[in-house]
Amino acid sequence: MRPFLSHPFDDDKLKEECGVFGVIGVCDAANFVALGMHALQHRGQEAGGIVAYDPEHGFNSARRFGYVRDNFTDPATMSTLPGALAIGHVRYSTAGSKGATAIRDVQPFFGEFAMGGAAIAHNGNLTNAAALRRELIERGSIFQSSSDSECIIHLMARSIQKNIPERMKDALRRVEGAFSVVAMTRTKLIGVRDPLGVRPLVIGRIGEGWALSSETCGLDIIGAEFIREVEPGEMVVIDEKGIESFHPFDRRAARFCIFEHVYFSRPDSILGGRSVYETRRQIGVELAKEAPVDADLVCPVPDSGTPAAIGFSQQSGIPYAMGIIRNQYMGRTFIEPTEQIRNMGVRLKLNVNRALIKGKRVILVDDSVVRGTTSRKIKDMILDAGAAEVHFRIASPPTAWPCFYGVDTPERAKLLAANMSEDEMRDWIGVDSLRFISLDGLYRAVGEAAGRDPKAPRYCDACFSGDYPVAPSDKIDQGFEMKAAQ
Ligand code: SF4
C-alpha cells in the first residue's frame, strides 16, 4: 500500500511545492544530496528522486514515493548512484498528476542530447506550460509525464545551440512563471532562477566542491558554507574550473515570494540576508502593534505560528505559553485512515493543554487562514478546554487569491477571505476577535520600513493582493479572472 503522506489533517494550509538540491566535486555526491533533500523535506513529502553521474557508470537515477529517510538511506539504493556529481528533488505535486501513475512525474527529469545527457530538477510552476505543451506535441514531442517541468527538457531538445547550458538558456527564455532549477550534465552543475526570483536558491561551498540548495538549511546539514543566493535572473554554471555567472534574461525588478518568509521556508534558513525565524518573530511584533487585545496568554498554533507568537508576546507583554501541543509523528502514524479516524480530524494532530487554558483569555497566533476549517476546529478545542475568550491573530494578510507559482492553493471559491469580510470570518470561525497582519505590516516585518510600495512592490504578494507579477496565462485561458485594475 502506498504510504499516506499528504497530511489530510493539514489540508487547511497552502502547500509548498518542491525543493531542489545539487552537489559537484564531492565523493559519493548522492549521499550529500540525500541529506540536503532530507533538510528540505518540508518543501515536499510526496516523493523524491536523485540523478547521479560518474564517468564509469554514466547517469543513474532513483525515484521513489515517500520520505527521503525511508528511500535514500539504505546502502543498496545509494550504491546505485555513484559519482561526484548529483542532483535531487523533493516533491509535493503542484502540476502534473497525483496517484498511482505519478512516479513518472517524480523529478529529476533526464534527457539524452547529441552532446550528452542532462538532468533537471525544478521548483516553481510554469504559467504557460499548457500552451507550450500543446505547441511541443504538435511539433512531435512525446511527453513522458504530466509535469509542467518536462517542457524544459523538450525545449532544450529543440534548441540549435551547441552545448547544454546554452540550450537551457534558450529553453528558459520561452517559459513563464516561477522557476528555480538545478540541473547537471556530465561535467557541470547548473543553477538558474527566474527573472523575478520568485522561489529561493542558494550556493554553498563544501571542501573543494559546491552545492546548490533551495534553502540554506540544506547547506547546513552537509556542513557546506553559505556563499550567496543565486540572483533573480541569474544562471550559475559550476565545474572543476569554478563558478561562472550569466544573466540570460531581460532584467526585471525582483519579486520574491513573501510567503516563503511567513510559512514555507524553514525558520533556521536565511532568506535575502534575513533569518526566517527573526522575520517571523518580527511579524508577531507588528501584529501586536496593529491588533492589540487584552488577554491572559499568547499561544501559537504549532509549529509554524510559534515565532510570531513569541514576537506578539514580547511586544504585548502578555505571557507566552504552549497552550496547544502538536503530535510530531502524525504523518507516519496512519496508513490511509478510516472514516472514523478521519472524523477525529485535527485532534489527531493537535491537543490542548487543558490545565493551562481553563478560565483564560487566550490569543491564538497562526500563520494563515486558508479555508478556515482548521481554525474553527481549534477554536472548538480551546473552548472545550474551558477558555474564557478566544482571539485569533494571523501572521499573514487574508489569503484571497490562488498562487500559480508553485504552491498548491484551493480555487478562489474555497478561500475563506475571498468570500467573507474580516468580521464575517470572525463570526464564521466563532471567536471573540480575529485580526490579520496588514500587507504594510508584513512588509515592515521583512525589512521594508515604509511598508508596501503599491507602484513597485518588492515581493510577490499575489495571494494577498491579487497583484500577479506574471500573468497566469494558462489559467486565464481556462477562465480565471484577474483582479480588475484599480
Ligand atoms: S502568490 Fe503568494 S504563495 Fe505564490 S509566490 Fe506569490 S506570495 Fe508566494
Side-chain angles (χ1 to χ4, degrees), residues 14 17 178 198-199 255-260 264 399 401-407 409 459-464 467-469:
L14 299 189
E17 63 182 59
V198 175
R199 303 257 84 83
R255 298 286 296 272
F256 182 65
C257 167
I258 204 163
F259 224 138
E260 292 275 355
F264 299 138
T399 306
W401 296 86
C403 175
F404 302 121
Y405 307 135
V407 171
T409 333
Y459 288 88
C460 176
D461 50 35
C463 47
F464 310 126
D467 169 12
Y468 289 90

Side-chain angles (χ1 to χ4, degrees), residues 167-202:
R167 284 186 174 220
M168 265 190 84
K169 290 180 194 170
D170 260 5
L172 293 174
R173 286 189 193 108
R174 292 282 325 274
V175 305
E176 295 167 7
F179 53 87
S180 280
V181 172
V182 167
M184 62 185 279
T185 69
R186 286 176 295 197
T187 56
K188 297 181 197 306
L189 177 67
I190 301 169
V192 196
R193 276 176 90 189
D194 64 77
L196 302 181
V198 175
R199 303 257 84 83
L201 189 63
V202 298

Side-chain angles (χ1 to χ4, degrees), residues 335-468:
I335 305 288
E336 296 296 343
T338 62
E339 197 55 36
Q340 190 187 14
I341 287 174
R342 271 181 187 279
N343 287 338
M344 295 177 188
V346 76
R347 284 174 200 277
L348 291 170
K349 188 179 72 176
L350 303 175
N351 194 25
V352 174
N353 188 345
R354 286 176 170 265
L356 191 76
I357 294 295
K358 193 169 170 36
K360 300 287 194 330
R361 296 168 301 164
V362 180
I363 301 169
L364 288 177
V365 180
D366 203 354
D367 54 81
S368 56
V369 171
V370 181
R371 293 179 176 85
T373 46
T374 300
S375 308
R376 233 171 140 161
K377 289 173 190 158
I378 290 171
K379 174 267 309 182
D380 287 344
M381 288 167 59
I382 295 280
L383 287 178
D384 283 353
E389 292 175 18
V390 184
H391 303 271
F392 257 112
R393 291 295 177 272
I394 309 299
S396 59
T399 306
W401 296 86
C403 175
F404 302 121
Y405 307 135
V407 171
D408 191 45
T409 333
E411 61 192 273
R412 200 151 187 257
K414 292 188 178 147
L415 294 172
L416 198 65
N419 299 288
M420 290 186 192
S421 69
E422 201 165 295
D423 285 352
E424 287 169 336
M425 286 191 269
R426 177 201 61 208
D427 294 345
W428 187 82
I429 294 170
V431 284
D432 294 283
S433 74
L434 167 72
R435 294 286 301 276
F436 296 79
I437 194 168
S438 68
L439 207 41
D440 278 331
L442 179 56
Y443 269 72
R444 281 193 292 276
V446 296
E448 302 282 310
R452 182 183 194 261
D453 177 350
K455 292 203 181 70
R458 293 273 304 274
Y459 288 88
C460 176
D461 50 35
C463 47
F464 310 126
S465 65
D467 169 12
Y468 289 90

Side-chain angles (χ1 to χ4, degrees), residues 152 156 163-173 179 181 183 188-195 201 203 212 228 230-238 243-249:
I152 300 170
M156 287 169 66
N163 64 53
I164 286 170
E166 290 302 320
R167 284 186 174 220
M168 265 190 84
K169 290 180 194 170
D170 260 5
L172 293 174
R173 286 189 193 108
F179 53 87
V181 172
K188 297 181 197 306
L189 177 67
I190 301 169
V192 196
R193 276 176 90 189
D194 64 77
L201 189 63
I203 306 169
L212 295 171
R228 66 175 176 87
V230 177
E231 294 167 16
E234 184 186 22
M235 170 188 272
V236 293
V237 179
I238 308 170
I243 183 164
E244 263 192 295
S245 166
F246 304 91
H247 286 87
F249 313 108

